[in-house]
Amino acid sequence: MTTFIHRYLGIVLIGLMALACSKKSNIKTAHISAEFSVADSVQRSNDYSGIGLAVIKKDSANTNADTLFYAITDSAGEFSGQVSFEKKQRYPAIISRNSTNLGRVGIILADGDSIHISGTLPNLEKSFSISSTEHNAMEVYDRVNKNFSRVQRYAQAGLLKGDTLRQEYVKFSDIYWDVYAEQRGTFASELAARRAIQVLQGIDNNKMMARLRAVQKQDKFSDVGATIGKNYIAKTRGLDPALSYLDTLNDITENKNKLMLINMERIKLLYDSARVDAAKKELDAFKERFSESNQPEEWVKSMSYDLSYLSPGDTIPTFAFEDNGRKISQQSLLGTPYILEITDLSNRLYQSQFDRTIAIHSIYKNFGLQVITLPLNQSQITIDAFFEERLKPWPVADAESFDRQQLVEKFNIRLVPTRFLVSSKGKIIRKYVGTEYQDVINGIRTLIKKEKKPAS
């Protein structure tokens, strides 16, 4: 019996060693050192022991946190040690003393990095600092980002226009690109490259695509190509070249999560382009290719619903509401092309888009286009307050005149604002979600060309 137990334990030990070896290649390490002190106003002695730092990892809101690193200062206020982790990212860290939490910070852990932390209690908010290759690079990125945010505010206020605006955006794209090159390999480098590409959208598209192609072979940037690059090619060259571009990204990308995103963007592009049968076929292939544990279940369900009931060419679902006693429904709107928008009026994105909606309505009402707003706000006071200082040139549903939950389910609302461009025959031209509203002009122009000439 004893021999059997020894053999069994030996087999288990070998199995554990094999498992450890299989995971060893995924384990990364970094060195953490710290130097803390306490202000004389709080403590007269020079004993700075008992100050702890815990670096934790939490996979989801419903799971317990794992402690990756924990150390306590000696009497000199110092400690050092090695932290092991599987993925380079920013991790939450808790600073404490004598079991009392004093603050929470973020620490970027990268393989082989050396992180030095310092601070003086009790005013950690002002005295706390982190020095490492990753954090130093992030400080450079943050400075550039802060300056660019100021330029964006000027642009939004109308203080930068035309060539001046274009020059500023191109200049900052160049600065971000320099950060990408100079801080290569860091999180800041990746963020800077993404920003350098993003800010050129609609400003210098040729330069944007050149920079995108310079990084798209790196897995970490394939999602940028799958969104920004795909959208640009679809607008300028059409559907088939955009699909071919996504195929290219699919061939050069190895990261499974990035591959999943590329395939999601491909399905969405087919859906938006009214290739419904092709989109359904690829959605079925998507569900087979990616295991259920990795699939974005809500996205799959939402996409399946849209393809079945809300595709381009489908009849808009029934709806009815009152606007100051006037009854309006999808039936009463037959003969009129319109934009149906479903939103929360307090949504910042909707508010930022509102002036543009006014401009669109002002231009295209001459072609018979109407705008219809179904606010999800429950209070009529909230709705009235929104329009106190704004124009209301189109019908807006009264708060108590329709069933919100039914509307959300029927129109598959997952994000607001959601809009539908609808033909005069009550057929869906396209669904626009969130920032996709920037594409609505092209849809309206196509619709107007098919339907009618300007109203007299």
Side-chain angles (χ1 to χ4, degrees):
M1 186 67 173
T2 304
T3 303
F4 173 78
I5 293 173
H6 285 165
R7 285 180 180 174
Y8 177 77
L9 291 175
I11 293 171
V12 172
L13 181 60
I14 291 171
L16 291 173
M17 290 175 64
L19 182 62
C21 289
S22 67
K23 289 186 175 181
K24 191 173 182 180
S25 59
N26 293 326
I27 299 300
K28 300 173 175 58
T29 60
H31 185 264
I32 298 180
S33 62
E35 185 177 358
F36 286 101
S37 61
V38 182
D40 293 340
S41 59
V42 176
Q43 176 181 306
R44 293 186 178 182
S45 73
N46 292 327
D47 182 357
Y48 304 141
S49 61
I51 303 171
L53 177 78
V55 181
I56 61 177
K57 171 193 171 188
K58 195 168 184 179
D59 293 325
S60 69
N62 298 322
T63 60
N64 294 324
D66 293 328
T67 301
L68 300 178
F69 176 86
Y70 182 68
I72 300 177
T73 57
D74 56 21
S75 60
E78 300 176 355
F79 65 71
S80 66
Q82 183 170 280
V83 56
S84 299
F85 54 98
E86 293 183 359
K87 184 180 180 181
K88 175 174 130 175
Q89 65 181 43
R90 187 189 295 271
Y91 292 89
I94 299 170
I95 302 170
S96 63
R97 192 180 196 193
N98 299 327
S99 300
T100 300
N101 291 344
L102 303 176
R104 188 182 180 101
V105 296
I107 295 180
I108 302 173
L109 299 183
D111 196 26
D113 207 355
S114 182
I115 305 158
H116 183 72
I117 299 168
S118 64
T120 300
L121 276 61
N123 196 5
L124 284 174
E125 186 175 337
K126 291 184 178 180
S127 64
F128 184 82
S129 68
I130 303 178
S131 178
S132 71
T133 299
E134 287 286 345
H135 284 271
N136 296 346
M138 191 61 72
E139 286 183 357
V140 174
Y141 172 79
D142 286 341
R143 283 197 296 271
V144 176
N145 219 30
K146 185 176 181 179
N147 289 332
F148 181 63
S149 295
R150 189 180 299 115
V151 170
Q152 287 181 301
R153 289 195 296 271
Y154 289 153
Q156 291 169 359
L159 300 177
L160 288 176
K161 297 179 181 178
D163 288 342
T164 303
L165 176 63
R166 181 185 179 281
Q167 290 169 6
E168 284 295 312
Y169 272 56
V170 171
K171 180 184 77 174
F172 270 95
S173 176
D174 291 344
I175 295 173
Y176 280 120
W177 197 251
D178 287 342
V179 174
Y180 160 67
E182 293 166 4
Q183 308 294 337
R184 193 69 62 92
T186 65
F187 263 135
S189 175
E190 179 181 344
L191 292 173
R194 289 172 176 271
R195 206 75 169 116
I197 294 166
Q198 291 167 352
V199 302
L200 290 176
Q201 292 182 87
I203 300 294
D204 190 333
N205 291 320
N206 290 331
K207 194 169 189 176
M208 176 191 76
M209 289 303 298
R211 287 187 167 163
L212 181 52
R213 289 197 166 93
V215 299
Q216 71 183 26
K217 290 186 178 180
Q218 301 177 50
D219 267 9
K220 60 188 175 184
F221 293 111
S222 58
D223 59 308
V224 185
T227 51
I228 294 176
K230 175 263 294 178
N231 290 341
Y232 174 71
I233 292 173
K235 288 177 184 176
T236 57
R237 296 171 55 195
L239 175 63
D240 290 333
L243 292 172
S244 296
Y245 177 71
L246 288 175
D247 288 340
T248 299
L249 293 178
N250 191 76
D251 292 340
I252 63 179
T253 303
E254 296 180 358
N255 183 286
K256 193 165 186 177
N257 289 330
K258 302 291 187 182
L259 284 171
M260 191 159 55
L261 176 64
I262 292 168
N263 280 268
M264 290 165 67
E265 288 295 327
R266 182 181 175 87
I267 294 167
K268 182 70 167 55
L269 179 60
L270 288 168
Y271 165 73
D272 287 338
S273 303
R275 300 277 188 92
V276 178
D277 290 339
K280 287 180 177 179
K281 185 177 179 180
E282 296 216 8
L283 182 61
D284 290 338
F286 177 91
K287 288 186 281 189
E288 289 184 10
R289 180 178 183 184
F290 300 100
S291 65
E292 291 184 8
S293 60
N294 291 326
Q295 280 181 24
E297 292 183 14
E298 286 302 315
W299 182 86
V300 171
K301 290 179 182 177
S302 179
M303 196 75 249
S304 296
Y305 186 94
D306 280 359
L307 286 169
S308 298
Y309 305 107
L310 299 171
S311 291
D314 287 344
T315 299
I316 193 76
T318 59
F319 64 89
F321 65 92
E322 291 185 8
D323 172 32
N324 290 326
R326 181 166 59 119
K327 294 181 179 180
I328 298 173
S329 67
Q330 91 292 342
Q331 194 67 29
S332 69
L333 288 166
L334 285 174
T336 302
Y338 58 94
I339 296 172
L340 175 68
E341 54 179 28
I342 302 170
T343 189
D344 183 328
L345 297 180
S346 64
N347 179 270
R348 290 186 179 181
L349 178 59
Y350 178 77
Q351 292 179 0
S352 69
Q353 295 170 340
F354 188 78
D355 287 344
R356 187 178 182 190
T357 310
I358 290 285
I360 289 172
H361 179 262
S362 177
I363 294 170
Y364 291 101
K365 69 180 180 181
N366 297 319
F367 295 84
L369 183 76
Q370 182 63 280
V371 175
I372 306 293
T373 301
L374 296 175
L376 298 177
N377 308 82
Q378 295 185 4
S379 169
Q380 186 63 39
I381 295 174
T382 301
I383 296 172
D384 292 340
F386 179 85
F387 288 103
E388 275 183 4
E389 298 180 0
R390 294 177 176 91
L391 294 173
K392 195 178 79 167
W394 56 74
V396 177
D398 295 337
E400 301 298 326
S401 66
F402 65 96
D403 187 322
R404 286 172 192 75
Q405 187 58 39
Q406 187 181 72
L407 183 81
V408 166
E409 292 174 1
K410 189 183 289 187
F411 286 86
N412 194 25
I413 305 301
R414 295 288 181 268
L415 184 71
V416 293
T418 291
R419 296 178 176 89
F420 293 86
L421 181 59
V422 184
S423 74
S424 60
K425 295 180 180 180
K427 302 293 184 180
I428 296 172
I429 302 301
R430 187 176 162 185
K431 178 181 181 180
Y432 303 91
V433 180
T435 57
E436 289 181 334
Y437 190 45
Q438 61 188 350
D439 299 330
V440 76
I441 293 292
N442 291 332
I444 292 173
R445 288 173 177 167
T446 301
L447 175 62
I448 294 301
K449 285 180 182 178
K450 290 181 179 179
E451 295 222 334
K452 60 178 69 177
K453 296 180 180 179
S456 57

